[in-house]
Amino acid sequence: MGTHALVRFADFELDIERYQLRRAGHEVRLEHLPMELLILLASRQGELISRADIIRTIWGGNVFRDTDNGINTAIRKIRIALGDDPANPQYVKTIKGKGYRLDGIEPPALDASPAQAPAVRVLVLPFANMTGDPAQDDFCDALANETSATLGMVKPEQLVVIARTTAARYRRTGKSIAEIARELAVDYVIEGSLARDGRRVRILATLIRCADQVQIWSRAHEPAAQGALDIQREVGAALAADITPALTKQHEIVLARRMPIDPAAHDAYLRGRYFWYRRVHFDPCFAAHHALNGEDFFRSRGYFDTAVERDPTYALGYAGLSNYYGATVVHGFVPPEEGWPVARAMAERALELEPDLPEAHHAMGAVHYFFDWDWRKAEAAFLQSLRLNPSYPEVHRLYARMLHAIGRESEGQAAMARAEKIDPLGFQGSRAYGLVLSGKHEEVVSEYFSPSRNDRPPLVYQLLATAFEVKGLFKEAVDATVEALIRCAEPPKAATIRSRWETGGYDAVLRGHLDDLLARHRNGYLSPLLLAETYARLSQPDAMFHWLEIALAERSSRLFELHTNPWFQHYRSTGKFRNLEKRVRP
């Protein structure tokens, strides 16, 4: 959204992260809808916002509601809260026939006090595999990822750790530390490698201060399994020591509790997390509809199982298993009643072992969101995870997804913006996902579609396929779908889609897709929501509602996101659909 988390005007503070308006330090009560509108006005930094834009953003374009009176009432309540004279308003200005703007917004302060000093930005580069063994590539990636996650907990109020997906863009680029520092505005860079000396495998790591290119810490460790633990302990201490006088005892305890007793358990966890991350970033709707390969998920489970077998007290291993069981439901591999109870049990075990583990709170939040449909408990879990590690992009993304689903779009956009700051390069697919959730399909197309770009991740093409279809650009939708499938290593499926389009147009594509889904339903588990979505795309409402009822009965995970699901947008104004939505909400 491009707005700051704290917006000041006159003696008011609008705290977007806390969803709170304050005047002279005291909270000013404001109802949900006026607060959403105030946040939206603040997000434009004094620019005009039209009534049509307000309706689309806050009501999702649902014109069956009395939006005119709704806007007028919300503006009136905002002015009452601000003490603004409606005849001569100082803050919320009405531009007749155009819309509204919020005046008097102060620019962010440039001179921060020591207590509010800008956060130090750290980048952990992908560890280089110098062993000559390609099988060690995943371990190198996972080692860098886990080092990032561990550092995010060292001093969360002072450190911002750039996400692993952004770091991965600098693998083998040949760019210098100075160039990387300028591009990402980072203060410290950690370089690492895995090397072989005879039969011995060593981990090498170096911490570099970007301002003067000084190596402030460097270590070599062997054997590699134990070294992985030592690197994360020592690099955190070295980094904190260079920023502040010393790593406090509390932070030492946090890091020690994150590490397992058996180094081999940590090795297994790192590999499991690598494969889980590699697959989970597909659009779950697209992935489930096209039955994209789930081998990475299933490989991750084997490693997570090994982690807890080697060390039954290792909380991260249980958090990984919870992520696995939940993700396989959301991506359409197993029914909710099989996956989510196990995911809950694993998250509970992780929290029992380590109450302050961000990954465990993230895992429990996913259970509350996707299975319990309890957004209040989910939000509490996500916020607790972010308090423990504000540099955890996965939580920012899932929290943003939930905020969109429950209609708090302005907050959802702010959460996506925060994730973008942590993950500026790898975020492009996530930002497109946020635009799809907001119904901004035109922006997805204009911002991400370029025939000259060939470095987009699969997620972007998956989302472009959706955006093009919603806009009725069917040829482009087929092209994007084919490209997405090819990038997901599914060329036979891509060829089938292309053939159906060339012989029968888009109707043949959708009907062939329905036939594929019905065949999968006959032969094994298939989420009923997939069939409901396909019948919606084919404009067959009776069949759509039939399968929606079945999806409701099984608590299909993505059913909670009916509000943002693009395939149902033509039916949202009907009474039958609104009644269904009410039965989903807690």
Side-chain angles (χ1 to χ4, degrees), residues 16-265:
I16 295 174
E17 290 191 11
R18 296 182 179 222
Y19 205 62
Q20 187 180 69
L21 176 67
R22 297 186 293 268
R23 185 171 199 172
H26 299 285
E27 183 176 0
V28 178
R29 304 294 297 176
L30 200 56
E31 296 174 17
H32 170 70
L33 189 60
M35 178 64 84
E36 283 287 296
L37 180 51
L38 181 58
I39 291 173
L40 180 60
L41 291 168
S43 75
R44 298 301 173 92
Q45 297 291 310
E47 295 181 3
L48 179 73
I49 180 168
S50 69
R51 291 176 72 92
D53 199 4
I54 293 171
I55 292 170
R56 179 184 55 76
T57 302
I58 294 182
W59 280 277
N62 288 340
V63 295
F64 63 86
R65 298 180 181 177
D66 190 357
T67 51
D68 283 337
N69 283 334
I71 293 174
N72 295 338
T73 301
I75 291 290
R76 178 174 58 81
K77 290 182 177 180
I78 292 172
R79 285 176 172 156
I80 291 172
L82 300 179
D84 217 1
D85 181 2
N88 186 25
Q90 181 181 358
Y91 307 117
V92 180
K93 298 293 183 70
T94 301
I95 311 301
K96 191 172 182 180
K98 298 291 185 180
Y100 304 91
R101 71 169 187 260
L102 181 63
D103 281 0
I105 297 176
E106 299 176 8
L110 296 178
D111 297 322
S113 65
Q116 297 174 323
V120 173
R121 292 167 62 85
V122 182
L123 175 71
V124 182
L125 288 171
F127 279 46
N129 181 7
M130 309 296 290
T131 66
D133 179 7
Q136 297 296 330
D137 285 346
D138 59 342
F139 177 76
C140 289
D141 285 343
L143 180 58
N145 296 345
E146 178 60 12
T147 302
S148 297
T150 302
L151 287 177
M153 296 178 64
V154 172
K155 281 187 174 293
E157 73 282 2
Q158 289 182 263
L159 291 181
V160 173
V161 183
I162 304 302
R164 56 184 174 70
T165 44
T166 288
R169 299 301 181 87
Y170 290 93
R171 181 190 305 282
R172 292 185 288 273
T173 62
K175 291 188 177 181
S176 68
I177 296 296
E179 289 176 301
I180 295 172
R182 284 195 300 269
E183 291 179 8
L184 297 180
V186 293
D187 303 291
Y188 293 84
V189 168
I190 297 169
E191 291 184 304
S193 65
L194 195 68
R196 187 185 300 278
D197 183 5
R199 294 185 177 181
R200 298 179 300 178
V201 176
R202 298 186 301 163
I203 292 177
L204 310 174
T206 303
L207 176 62
I208 301 169
R209 188 169 54 219
C210 297
D212 51 13
Q213 303 289 292
V214 170
Q215 293 185 12
I216 63 174
W217 173 88
S218 183
R219 292 289 188 278
H221 285 280
E222 56 181 78
Q226 181 62 52
L229 306 185
D230 294 335
I231 288 291
Q232 287 153 42
R233 290 191 185 98
E234 294 178 17
V235 74
L239 186 58
D242 197 58
I243 298 168
T244 60
L247 183 66
T248 66
K249 190 67 176 176
Q250 177 184 358
H251 291 134
E252 290 178 349
I253 293 171
V254 167
L255 291 178
R257 291 167 75 183
R258 187 177 176 89
M259 304 304 177
I261 296 171
D262 186 344

Side-chain angles (χ1 to χ4, degrees), residues 282 286 290 292-293 454 456-462 465 477-499:
F282 290 170
F286 184 95
H290 293 280
L292 295 186
N293 190 295
N454 58 9
R456 299 294 195 192
L459 176 59
V460 167
Y461 290 100
Q462 294 166 14
V478 168
D479 290 342
T481 300
V482 167
E483 186 63 33
L485 291 171
I486 290 173
R487 289 171 182 263
C488 293
E490 298 281 4
K493 292 179 181 178
T496 299
I497 297 291
R498 178 71 70 191
S499 175

Side-chain angles (χ1 to χ4, degrees), residues 435-508:
L435 292 173
V436 168
L437 294 178
S438 301
K440 298 177 181 178
H441 303 103
E442 180 71 39
E443 290 187 39
V444 176
V445 171
S446 62
E447 187 169 342
Y448 292 95
F449 179 63
S450 172
S452 62
R453 289 294 301 271
N454 58 9
D455 60 342
R456 299 294 195 192
L459 176 59
V460 167
Y461 290 100
Q462 294 166 14
L463 297 168
L464 278 170
T466 297
F468 281 130
E469 183 178 331
V470 169
K471 289 174 57 61
L473 301 172
F474 299 127
K475 177 184 182 302
E476 291 81 358
V478 168
D479 290 342
T481 300
V482 167
E483 186 63 33
L485 291 171
I486 290 173
R487 289 171 182 263
C488 293
E490 298 281 4
K493 292 179 181 178
T496 299
I497 297 291
R498 178 71 70 191
S499 175
R500 287 171 177 168
W501 162 255
E502 292 173 349
T503 57
Y506 208 67
D507 187 66

Side-chain angles (χ1 to χ4, degrees), residues 382-459:
F382 294 149
L383 291 176
Q384 178 62 12
S385 180
L386 291 173
R387 277 190 286 269
L388 293 166
N389 183 3
S391 297
Y392 194 171
E394 296 303 322
V395 185
H396 283 294
R397 288 172 179 142
L398 186 52
Y399 184 38
R401 179 174 172 176
M402 187 202 78
L403 289 170
H404 280 285
I406 63 177
R408 288 160 56 181
E409 183 174 306
S410 297
E411 290 177 90
Q413 291 174 348
M416 282 290 190
R418 287 191 290 275
E420 185 173 11
K421 290 180 180 179
I422 298 168
D423 195 359
L425 295 182
F427 186 79
Q428 58 176 320
S430 297
R431 171 168 162 71
Y433 189 70
L435 292 173
V436 168
L437 294 178
S438 301
K440 298 177 181 178
H441 303 103
E442 180 71 39
E443 290 187 39
V444 176
V445 171
S446 62
E447 187 169 342
Y448 292 95
F449 179 63
S450 172
S452 62
R453 289 294 301 271
N454 58 9
D455 60 342
R456 299 294 195 192
L459 176 59

